[in-house]
C-alpha cells in the first residue's frame, strides 16, 4: 500500500483594491472592478506551491511544477503525450499522496456531494500503488518523425503521440512498446494514418493499433496486432510477427483483421469472432490466465479485462464481504444472481464461488453483449462446476433486464456510460427504462460497480427514486491513478416492493441532481495596444498558439484572448469586441485555476519586460502592471 498526501492548499491570495497605473487603465479600472495581488503575496503563493511535495508522473513532472520560463522550454510532444493519456498527475487535484487524501479527487468530491444531497453516509476510499498499475493497454500506431510510433491520440485529435516510458504502464508493457516500435521500423511496416482521408488510409495495409496484456504469473505479454486489411499475405506483417515472436517476451501473438470499412474507421476493433486469429503459437490456447481472489480466469484478446487487477481484486473482496453480510442478515436460503455486462464472468463467478456455503442453492446467469465472452465464460465456469449452476447469455443489458426477471441479486458493471444505451452516452439521458425495470423486478439487492462516476450518480438516483432501494455503502477506488477517472462500488438494498411503488416515480427530483460544476474565471487586462511593431498578441499567444497550448495542457484551464487587437470576432455581428485586450482564464477546479493564473501571470510579466525594453529602444518608458479582473468577463453570459 502506498502512502499519498495532498499538498497543503495554496493560501488564498489577498486582493487589495487596485490602483491603476495609467490614466486609461484608471478609467477602465472602476468599470472592471480590478484587483491586483501585491508582489510579496504573489511570491509567497508561488513559493508555497513549489515546496509542495507531490507524486508526479515523469511525463508531466516538468509541466506541473515549472515556472513559465521552464515550461516554455518543454518540447511540445512531452507535455502533449501525457495530456493525451488523460493523465494529469502531479497537476493539482490528482497529485494526492495518502489514501485518505484520495477523498479530495474531484470525482470523489462529486460523489460525496451527491451522497450528502441524498442524506447518505460518507464514502469509503481505497488507493493502492499507482506505479505500473496498467497491465492491459490498447494503443494506436501512427506516423512519427523518425518512423511509426506506438502511443496515444493527442487529446481531441487523431494524431498519435508517443508514450514510451509512461509510469502508469507495467514495465513489461513499456519494454514491449519499445520492442514493437523497433520491429515495425525494421520491417518497413506502415503505420495507419488515423488522421488522413478515409479513402486513402483504408486502402493501405497498415498497423492500426496494438493491444498488450501482461499475464502476471508468466511475465509474458499477449499481443494483438490490429491490421488494416482483409486476411491475405503481407510480407511486412509476417516479418513483424516473426521478429517479435523470436524475442521471447510474448505470451501469444494475434492478428485482428480489421475490415477496411469507413463504418468502422475509428473503432479499435470489431467484435466479430472470425476477425481474430492466433498466429503464435500456432497451436494451443493463446488465452491469458489471471488468478483473481482465489480463482483462475482466462481472458481473450476480444473480451474485456480490467486494466488495474490489484485494485479490481480489492473491489471483489469488498463485494463478497458486503453480500455475505446481507445474506446472513436476510436469512435467504436460495440465491439467484443475474450479472449484466459481465465480460468473461469474473465478478459473477467469484461471488458465486465465495458465497456457495451461505445458501443451499445458488445459480448465476451472466450476460454480456460481446459474443466473444461466451467461450471464455464456459472455460472459467468449469472451476465451479458441481458447486453452482452457471450459464451465460450473449445479450445487451436492456434485453437481459426484460428477459430475466426472477433474479434476487443483480450485479452490474457497465461501461463508462452506465445503463444508458450507446447513442445517449454523452448526455447521460439513457438508463431510465433499465432503472425502472430494476425497480419493478424481484431483485432485492444491486451490486453496482462503475467506472463512470457521473453515470453512476444518474443511475443510482433512479434506483433510489420513490424509495425503491437504499444505498447501503458507496466505496471509491483509485483504479486509474493519475487520471480524472475513478471506480466506485455501490451496494443497494430494496426498501419498497414493486407493488408499493407509485406508478409515476419521480425520476430525478430537482433537489437531488448533482450540483452544477462551478466555473472559476478571471481576465488579465493587458494594457498594451496591439500594433505590428511590438505585436503583443503574437507574444502572448506564442507561435501558432503554442504558449496557450502549453499552459492549457499543464493545467487543464481554458485560455482565450479577447477584446481590441485580439483578432477574435464575437457576437451576432462577428466583430472584434471594443473591450480592452484581455487574456481570459476559466477552469472548473480551483487548484488548477490558481496554477493557470500563476503561469499566465509569469507569461504576462515576461511580455511586460519585453515591452519595457522595446519602449526603451524607442526612447520611451513603459510602466505596465499586472491587472486581474476576477469573476466572469463583464457582459458575458456566464
Ligand atoms: C466494464 S466492462 C466489465 C466486464 C466484467 N464485469 C469484468 O470485470 O471483466 C463492461 C462490459 O460491458 C459490456 N457491454 C457494453 N455495453 C453493453 C450493453 N449495452 N449490454 C451488455 N453488455 C455491454 C462490454 O462488452 C464489457 O464486457
Amino acid at each position: 500500500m502506498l502512502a499519498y498526501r495532498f499538498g497543503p492548499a495554496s493560501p488564498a491570495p489577498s486582493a487589495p483594491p487596485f490602483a491603476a497605473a495609467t490614466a486609461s487603465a484608471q478609467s477602465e479600472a472602476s468599470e472592471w472592478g480590478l484587483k491586483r495581488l501585491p508582489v510579496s503575496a504573489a511570491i509567497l503563493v508561488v513559493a508555497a506551491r513549489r515546496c509542495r511535495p507531490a507524486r508526479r508522473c515523469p511525463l508531466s513532472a516538468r509541466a506541473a511544477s515549472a515556472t513559465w520560463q521552464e515550461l516554455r522550454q518543454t518540447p511540445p510532444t512531452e507535455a502533449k503525450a501525457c495530456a493525451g493519456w488523460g493523465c494529469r498527475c502531479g497537476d493539482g487535484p490528482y497529485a494526492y499522496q495518502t489514501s485518505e487524501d484520495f477523498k479530495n479527487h474531484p470525482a470523489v468530491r462529486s460523489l460525496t456531494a451527491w451522497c450528502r444531497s441524498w442524506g447518505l453516509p460518507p464514502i469509503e476510499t481505497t488507493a493502492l500503488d499507482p506505479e505500473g498499475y496498467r497491465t492491459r493497454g490498447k494503443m494506436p500506431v501512427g506516423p512519427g518523425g523518425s518512423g511509426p510510433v506506438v502511443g496515444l491520440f493527442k487529446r481531441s485529435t487523431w494524431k498519435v503521440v508517443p508514450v514510451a516510458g509512461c509510469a502508469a504502464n507495467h514495465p513489461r508493457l513499456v519494454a514491449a512498446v519499445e520492442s514493437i516500435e523497433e520491429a515495425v521500423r525494421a520491417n518497413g511496416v506502415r503505420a495507419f494514418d488515423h488522421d488522413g482521408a478515409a479513402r486513402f488510409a483504408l486502402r493501405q495495409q497498415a498497423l492500426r493499433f496494438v493491444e498488450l496484456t501482461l499475464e502476471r504469473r508468466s511475465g509474458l505479454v499477449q499481443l494483438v496486432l490490429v491490421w488494416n486489411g482483409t486476411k491475405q499475405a503481407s510480407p511486412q506483417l509476417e516479418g513483424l510477427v516473426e521478429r517479435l515472436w523470436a524475442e521471447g517476451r510474448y505470451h501469444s501473438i494475434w492478428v485482428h483483421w480489421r475490415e477496411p470499412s469507413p463504418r468502422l474507421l475509428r473503432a479499435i476493433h470489431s467484435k466479430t469472432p472470425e476477425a481474430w486469429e492466433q498466429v503464435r503459437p500456432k497451436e494451443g490456447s493463446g488465452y491469458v490466465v489471471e488468478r483473481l481472489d482465489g480463482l483462475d480466469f482466462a481472458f481473450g484478446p476480444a473480451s474485456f479485462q480490467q486494466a488495474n487487477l490489484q485494485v479490481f481484486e480489492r473491489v471483489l473482496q469488498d463485494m463478497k464481504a458486503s453480500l455475505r453480510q446481507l445474506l446472513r442478515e436476510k436469512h435467504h436460503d436460495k440465491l439467484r444472481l443475474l450479472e449484466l455486462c459481465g465480460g468473461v464472468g469474473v465478478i459473477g463467478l467469484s461471488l458465486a464461488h465465495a458465497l456457495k456455503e451461505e445458501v443451499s442453492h445458488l445459480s448465476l446467469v451472466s450476460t454480456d453483449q460481446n459474443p466473444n465472452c461466451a467461450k471464455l465464460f464456459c472455460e472459467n465456469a468449469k472451476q465451479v462446476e458441481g458447486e453452482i449452476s452457471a450459464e451465460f447469455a450473449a445479450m445487451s443489458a436492456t434485453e437481459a433486464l426484460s428477459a430475466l426477471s426472477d433474479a434476487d441479486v443483480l450485479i452490474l458493471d457497465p461501461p463508462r456510460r452506465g445503463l444508458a444505451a450507446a447513442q445517449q452516452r454523452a448526455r447521460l439521458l439513457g438508463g431510465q427504462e433499465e432503472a425502472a425495470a430494476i425497480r419493478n423486478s424481484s431483485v432485492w439487492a444491486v451490486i453496482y460497480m462503475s467506472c463512470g462516476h457521473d453515470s453512476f450518480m444518474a443511475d443510482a438516483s433512479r434506483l433510489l427514486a420513490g424509495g425503491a432501494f437504499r444505498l447501503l455503502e458507496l466505496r471509491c477506488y483509485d483504479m486509474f491513478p493519475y487520471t480524472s477517472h475513478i471506480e466506485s462500488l455501490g451496494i443497494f438494498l430494496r426498501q419498497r416492493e414493486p407493488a408499493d411503488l407509485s406508478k409515476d416515480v419521480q425520476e430525478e427530483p430537482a433537489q437531488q441532481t448533482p450540483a452544477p460544476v462551478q466555473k472559476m474565471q478571471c481576465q488579465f487586462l493587458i494594457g498594451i495596444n496591439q500594433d505590428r511593431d511590438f505585436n503583443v498578441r503574437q507574444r502572448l499567444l506564442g507561435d501558432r498558439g503554442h504558449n496557450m497550448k502549453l499552459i492549457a495542457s499543464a493545467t487543464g484551464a481554458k485560455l482565450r484572448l479577447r477584446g481590441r487587437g485580439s483578432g477574435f470576432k464575437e457576437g451576432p455581428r462577428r466583430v472584434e469586441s471594443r473591450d480592452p485586450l484581455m487574456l481570459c482564464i476559466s477552469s472548473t477546479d480551483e487548484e488548477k485555476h490558481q496554477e493557470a493564473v500563476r503561469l499566465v501571470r509569469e507569461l504576462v510579466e515576461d511580455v511586460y519586460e519585453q515591452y519595457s525594453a522595446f519602449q526603451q529602444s524607442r526612447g520611451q518608458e513603459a510602466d505596465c502592471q499586472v491587472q486581474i479582473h476576477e469573476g466572469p468577463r463583464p457582459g458575458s453570459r456566464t
Side-chain angles (χ1 to χ4, degrees), residues 271 299 302-306 312 339-348 367-371 373 395-400 411-422 449 451 487:
K271 295 281 187 289
F299 293 94
S303 55
F304 178 87
Q305 184 187 326
Q306 305 279 354
F312 181 52
E339 180 171 30
L340 308 187
C341 306
V344 299
V346 184
I347 301 177
T367 66
D368 193 288
Q369 72 174 13
N370 179 359
C373 297
M395 55 170 72
S396 75
T398 313
E399 287 165 339
I411 306 163
L412 282 174
D413 181 14
R416 194 150 283 146
R417 64 177 179 270
L419 285 172
M449 174 171 169
C451 56
E487 192 76 28

Side-chain angles (χ1 to χ4, degrees), residues 121 124 318 321-322 325 456 470-475 489-492:
E124 298 212 14
D318 289 342
S322 301
Q325 170 89 11
F456 175 85
R470 86 191 142 93
L471 183 58
L472 287 186
E473 290 169 33
L474 181 55
R475 294 167 188 269
L489 171 65
I491 310 286
F492 297 82

Side-chain angles (χ1 to χ4, degrees), residues 7 24 36 58 146 198 241 265 269 280 294 331 352 366 386 421 514 517 533 554 570 591 597:
S24 68
R36 187 186 140 220
S146 47
V241 169
L265 181 65
H269 37 60
R280 294 289 184 286
H331 308 294
S366 186
V517 181
D533 293 341
E570 51 192 293
E591 204 171 339
V597 169

Side-chain angles (χ1 to χ4, degrees), residues 444 464 466-471 493-497 500-501:
W444 56 259
L464 301 181
F469 287 88
R470 86 191 142 93
L471 183 58
L493 185 64
R494 181 167 292 279
Q495 205 169 236
R496 294 177 72 185
E497 292 307 319
D500 302 334
L501 287 173

Side-chain angles (χ1 to χ4, degrees), residues 216 290-295 297 299 309 312-313 316 346:
R216 293 180 299 177
E290 282 293 345
R291 190 155 192 86
L292 294 170
D293 204 30
L295 285 183
F297 288 94
F299 293 94
L309 296 174
F312 181 52
E313 279 190 283
L316 280 178
V346 184

